[in-house]
Each structure stands twice: as structure tokens, then as C-alpha cells.
Amino acid sequence: KKNEARSMAQKKRCLEFWFEFASPYSFLAAPRLATVAAAKGLAPSLLRWRPFLLGPVLKARGISTTPNTDHVAKGAYMWRDLERRAAKHGFHAQRPSRFPRHPLLTARIATQDAPWMPEFAVRVFEANFAEDRDIADPDVIATILTAMGLDPHPVLEKAATPEIKLELKRHTEEALALGIFGAPTFVVRRGEASATHPVADDVEELFWGDDRLEDAIDWVVAVNAAAAGTTAS
């Protein structure tokens, strides 16, 4: 039975949500992720949120600027698209008065990987892209943490530690190694969702963009259902 359980765990696929707090399309995906996953039957144990910094990834790929801000027509389209897609899913979006806002502080907090991290992420996205609040301001972040019932001081202090800074750097390096080039990206991996994964040999699929959220979850659910059927037979 132990061997069967181990074999089943190895055949399972998990889904990682790689996101960046300055990314408008990550904002569209984050509030929907848990709800869509639950509706489609993807267990919470097979879902993991992975914050990273997109800027260093783009730079490593030879992209030194943000395409959506450098091209006026494309930028205008993006903001209108953001409004349309947010309205489609039942929430508000607006263009921030400053874009992009620096995501470093919030990324370091999310890297702490606490149980409250998904709620924190959604609230930060809403602050930036729905309420036009400066997510680079520690006072704004402290207000968000307090509204969640948390003491902001130890959270902010931990975000400034060398260990968290190094962990976020590792996340970003892993994103690059995985082939990620934009946010959000959904990564399908073999095995249960966990804090550590070998980079090279367990990645099965990448889905890029908030409009691929449903496709990514459908893929994981279908592959896991097929694996369960094979094991049962």
C-alpha cells in the first residue's frame, strides 16, 4: 500500500501560480485562482502560489524595458483590456496613477510563504490595480496586514532579513530556469506541491496569461484523473 501511495503521488500533477505584484494580468488571475480550482476539483494541496520578480527575468532574456509602457497603443489597449476582463469576472480595475509600482517589498513578504499569503496577495493586487494605493509604501502594506488581523511589524521585519532576500532571488532564478518570460505563468509539475522542486526534470507544461488559468487547471485535473484511473486498473 505504501508503494501504491508513493506511485500515485509521483503520477499526480500540481499547479504553481507564478505571479508578480506589478503585473496587471497577475491581478486578474489571483482573485479567481482558488475559486476556479475548487469548482474544477483541483485540491488545495495541488496548488501553490510562487511570487517572483519579473524585471530580472526580462533583463536576462534581453528585454530591458516593459513593452506595455513603451508602446502607447499597446499600453492603451492593455488598460482597456484589464477593465473589460475585470468586469467580466465581477471586480473593479483601474489604471494606477503610477505604473509600474515597485513590487520588491510585497514580493519579499509573499516569499515568507505563510498560510495567509494568498489573501495578502489578492489584497495587494486590489490596492494597486483597483484602489490606486502605493504598494511600495510600507505604511500601505502595514494597513493591509492589519486589516487581515496580523501584526505588521514582525512581517515587515522578516521581509528585510537576508534569508528572505536570498529566497526571493532563488525564486526569480528558478522562474528563469523554468522558461518563464511573463506573468502570470502557470506551471504544471509532477508530484505534490511542496516547498522544493528539482528545476529540470519535473516540469510538464507552462501556461502563460490570466486567460490560460482555466486551461492550466483543466490540464492538471484531466491528467490526475487519468493517472488515478490507470492506478485503479
Side-chain angles (χ1 to χ4, degrees):
K1 291 184 179 180
K2 289 183 178 180
N3 289 337
E4 289 180 3
R6 187 179 300 110
S7 176
M8 185 61 189
Q10 291 171 346
K11 288 182 178 180
K12 277 187 177 180
R13 271 59 172 176
C14 68
L15 185 67
E16 293 184 340
F17 171 50
W18 288 79
F19 64 96
E20 218 252 22
F21 283 110
S23 161
Y25 289 99
S26 292
F27 156 68
L28 290 176
R32 302 191 296 121
L33 182 58
T35 301
V36 175
K40 291 179 175 292
L42 182 64
S45 63
L46 297 177
L47 185 63
R48 188 163 179 236
W49 295 56
R50 303 295 308 275
F52 76 110
L53 296 177
L54 182 59
V57 171
L58 294 179
K59 185 176 181 180
R61 301 204 184 286
I63 306 171
S64 59
T65 58
T66 304
N68 290 329
T69 60
D70 285 353
H71 300 279
V72 175
K74 188 174 182 180
Y77 172 84
M78 180 190 72
W79 293 118
R80 182 59 189 138
D81 188 48
L82 188 76
E83 293 173 349
R84 286 195 305 252
R85 290 191 60 78
K88 174 184 177 181
H89 297 298
F91 53 93
H92 171 68
Q94 67 179 36
R95 180 174 182 169
S97 56
R98 180 184 174 190
F99 178 81
R101 287 186 168 122
H102 206 298
L104 183 59
L105 173 60
T106 49
R108 286 177 177 169
I109 292 174
T111 299
Q112 297 177 30
D113 203 21
W116 43 259
M117 191 265 276
E119 179 187 354
F120 170 76
V122 171
R123 286 176 180 252
V124 169
F125 279 123
E126 290 174 346
N128 192 16
F129 293 107
E131 301 165 0
D132 194 20
R133 297 160 69 194
D134 186 1
I135 62 170
D137 184 344
D139 290 337
V140 171
I141 301 308
T143 299
I144 291 173
L145 292 166
T146 300
M148 293 170 58
L150 300 171
D151 182 349
H153 301 293
V155 176
L156 291 168
E157 288 175 1
K158 187 174 181 178
T161 61
E163 292 79 10
I164 289 297
K165 293 178 181 179
L166 179 59
E167 188 63 20
L168 177 58
K169 181 180 178 182
R170 288 173 178 162
H171 279 210
T172 302
E173 290 171 346
E174 184 180 357
L176 185 62
L178 290 171
I180 289 174
F181 54 87
T185 296
F186 305 93
V187 178
V188 180
R189 307 183 88 147
R190 289 182 285 276
E192 298 276 0
S194 64
T196 58
H197 273 290
V199 170
D201 61 357
D202 70 342
V203 174
E204 187 167 87
E205 297 288 340
L206 268 65
F207 295 83
W208 173 50
D210 83 287
D211 56 348
R212 294 297 184 266
L213 168 60
E214 287 80 2
D215 290 352
I217 292 175
D218 285 341
W219 182 282
V220 174
V221 171
V223 171
N224 286 345
T230 300
T231 302
S233 61

